[in-house]
Amino acid sequence: MTSSLCKRCFFFLPPLPSLDSCGDNSLFFSLQNSPTFGFLLDIDGVLVRGHRVIPAALEAFRRLVNSQGQLRVPVVFVTNAGNILQHSKAQELSALLGCKVDPDQVILSHSPMKLFSQYHDKRMLVSGQGPVVENAQALGFQNVVTVDELRMAFPILDMVDLERRPKTTPLLRNDFPAIEGVLLLGEPVRWETSLQLIMDVLLSNGNPGTGLATAPYPHLPVLASNMDLLWMAEAKMPRFGHGTFLLCLETIYQKMTGKELRYEGLMGKPSILTYQYAEDLIRQQAERRGWAAPIQKLYAVGDNPMSDVYGANLFHQYLQMAKHGRAEELVPGGLWKQRPSATQSCASILVCTGVYSPQNLGSTGPAQGGAEPPFHGHRDFNFSPGLMEASHVVNDVNEAVQLVFHQEGWTL
């Protein structure tokens, strides 16, 4: 067996024995002390492509799981997807990876919305697909209206699709309670309908059946999750993500009002709030397992330089500033009160199995001719080239786990 070297990596991986099944791990794993590090693993492009598991992910979990089927270190799955229930995602991962994944190990893009309790009793319009009502209720929102429900109440608002236009003019309703805010959980199916009705709600101050002479500003509160411009499925090229939908909505609002669409909260990677949320779940997981040593290092593995790498590096910057009492500069609003934390660092590890590829120059990697690559991040996150530089670049998640174990002095 020979050592392997990633195309853009700067470390060699030592020869490793082959592992034929999870049960063989006990032959090679030695007893470890309580771990002082944990993993934040992205899902799409790192563990799976569409509905297919990436083979390297199975190899990685043969190293992460001991002979009793338990994780050797704390692991949280941090995804910018949100069109599935948390427990369903955990079941899906358990089946794909061959080890038990608990729901509280999964962070969907909108999971930190649980913290926005001041809006939980408001009547909120929810946009997305999948079980949006169930997801919103699981987050604490008890009074939600879907885009489809709004369209049925006011059919004359949805006019783009000729087949769906009402054949007669219905009576205007005056018994529909006002909407008090907007939840954007993920990309919807019919973008034209969602864009139109969300704009109607914002421009009418929550009363889309009426018209206002002047659009209110500030507008109703908007909470959004998943800022990914692109994501990777089975197709050879990346697909539009919810960040593309947000870009459309922001541009339309700016064009129509001359003002900027504002968010009360932006969740999902690269938001620091998402990493704080993940850090807390890592700590709770370690406590449940009885690991006495505090978790001091986090390793964030992802395939998207803008969300995964940028987010991990931004969180690392936050951790360094927190040491000097300056963390509030990166987390305005004080939603999550700064608290003592044992976490000292967050290293970013970029894999080449998803959005990022060394051969895919000019999109998410370095541009040809040394030019600055296009900025795919959300407009509310200023472009900082240094934050898009991964601590390590490896071929896949299996090499990422090997790298971390090697650095931490753990047996492979």
Side-chain angles (χ1 to χ4, degrees):
M1 287 171 284
T2 59
S3 299
S4 60
L5 176 66
C6 173
K7 297 180 180 65
R8 292 197 60 230
C9 187
F10 303 104
F11 70 94
F12 283 92
L13 299 172
L16 296 167
S18 60
L19 301 178
D20 297 325
S21 67
C22 288
D24 291 333
N25 291 353
S26 58
L27 298 176
F28 307 106
F29 292 163
S30 62
L31 291 175
Q32 305 287 348
N33 295 322
S34 294
T36 58
F37 64 97
F39 284 97
L40 308 180
L41 299 181
D42 183 36
I43 297 175
D44 291 303
V46 174
L47 305 177
V48 301
R49 287 280 294 269
H51 297 288
R52 295 182 299 183
V53 66
I54 296 173
L58 299 177
E59 292 296 322
F61 273 83
R62 289 190 181 106
R63 307 187 194 286
L64 286 169
V65 175
N66 63 23
S67 57
Q68 286 75 46
Q70 295 179 313
L71 286 167
R72 303 169 65 196
V73 299
V75 174
V76 165
F77 302 88
V78 188
T79 176
N80 270 356
N83 59 354
I84 190 172
L85 294 171
Q86 189 177 12
H87 68 83
S88 298
K89 195 64 178 179
Q91 291 174 349
E92 179 184 297
L93 288 171
S94 297
L96 289 171
L97 299 174
C99 68
K100 181 173 173 51
V101 176
D102 293 323
D104 57 7
Q105 288 179 269
V106 177
I107 298 178
L108 302 174
S109 61
H110 46 64
S111 294
M113 285 188 185
K114 294 176 183 177
L115 305 174
F116 289 78
S117 57
Q118 67 270 39
Y119 301 112
H120 287 174
D121 62 348
K122 304 294 185 183
R123 184 170 168 84
M124 306 291 284
L125 176 68
V126 58
S127 170
Q129 59 181 294
V132 290
V133 173
E134 293 90 338
N135 268 324
Q137 291 174 343
L139 295 168
F141 298 93
Q142 299 304 314
N143 190 4
V144 296
V145 179
T146 67
V147 171
D148 278 342
E149 289 172 339
L150 185 61
R151 184 181 69 85
M152 294 298 291
F154 301 100
I156 61 172
L157 300 182
D158 188 22
M159 300 296 283
V160 172
D161 187 343
L162 297 177
E163 296 296 323
R164 298 217 302 184
R165 286 187 184 179
K167 302 300 185 284
T168 60
T169 303
L171 294 175
L172 292 178
R173 293 184 56 172
N174 57 12
D175 61 342
F176 196 82
I179 292 171
E180 300 173 283
V182 179
L183 294 177
L184 305 176
L185 299 187
E187 60 270 20
V189 175
R190 284 181 169 266
W191 285 28
E192 79 284 358
T193 297
S194 291
L195 289 169
Q196 178 69 77
L197 270 62
I198 292 168
M199 284 296 302
D200 288 336
V201 166
L202 295 177
L203 296 180
S204 68
N205 203 33
N207 296 281
T210 64
L212 294 179
T214 304
Y217 199 83
H219 53 70
L220 293 174
V222 178
L223 300 175
S225 63
N226 185 355
M227 297 164 273
D228 283 352
L229 187 76
L230 304 169
W231 70 289
M232 201 70 185
E234 291 94 342
K236 297 297 183 182
M237 296 175 64
R239 303 292 86 196
F240 290 157
H242 192 221
T244 309
F245 179 82
L246 296 180
L247 178 62
C248 293
L249 181 64
E250 294 155 7
T251 305
I252 295 169
Y253 188 88
Q254 175 78 38
K255 194 73 171 178
M256 292 185 65
T257 68
K259 298 180 175 65
E260 185 176 78
L261 181 73
R262 306 301 297 269
Y263 298 96
E264 292 299 311
L266 274 171
M267 258 90 12
K269 298 172 290 187
S271 169
I272 289 177
L273 186 61
T274 291
Y275 287 85
Q276 289 179 303
Y277 195 85
E279 175 196 18
D280 210 47
L281 291 189
I282 285 281
R283 178 187 56 78
Q284 294 176 30
Q285 190 179 145
E287 289 175 354
R288 286 196 304 271
R289 290 291 302 275
W291 290 324
I295 303 300
Q296 298 178 331
K297 300 178 184 177
L298 295 177
Y299 293 92
V301 184
D303 69 304
N304 190 324
M306 186 53 239
S307 60
D308 298 310
V309 173
Y310 192 105
N313 289 342
L314 187 64
F315 184 57
H316 178 77
Q317 187 181 88
Y318 162 84
L319 292 172
Q320 306 316 301
M321 296 178 71
K323 296 177 183 178
H324 303 95
R326 297 171 52 214
E328 66 277 0
E329 297 175 24
L330 290 178
V331 188
L335 177 66
W336 187 295
K337 299 298 183 183
Q338 187 174 338
R339 68 204 185 291
S341 171
T343 306
Q344 301 295 312
S345 64
C346 181
S348 55
I349 304 179
L350 182 63
V351 299
C352 305
T353 51
V355 168
Y356 173 77
S357 170
Q359 291 78 35
N360 189 21
L361 300 178
S363 59
T364 54
Q368 294 182 2
E372 189 174 274
F375 179 54
H376 286 178
H378 189 268
R379 54 129 221 243
D380 288 2
F381 289 78
N382 294 328
F383 181 45
S384 178
L387 292 179
M388 293 182 66
E389 290 293 326
S391 305
H392 308 278
V393 180
V394 297
N395 282 317
D396 52 49
V397 65
N398 187 34
E399 289 190 5
V401 170
Q402 294 177 63
L403 166 66
V404 173
F405 277 15
H406 178 73
Q407 290 191 339
E408 295 294 330
W410 278 47
T411 54
L412 292 163

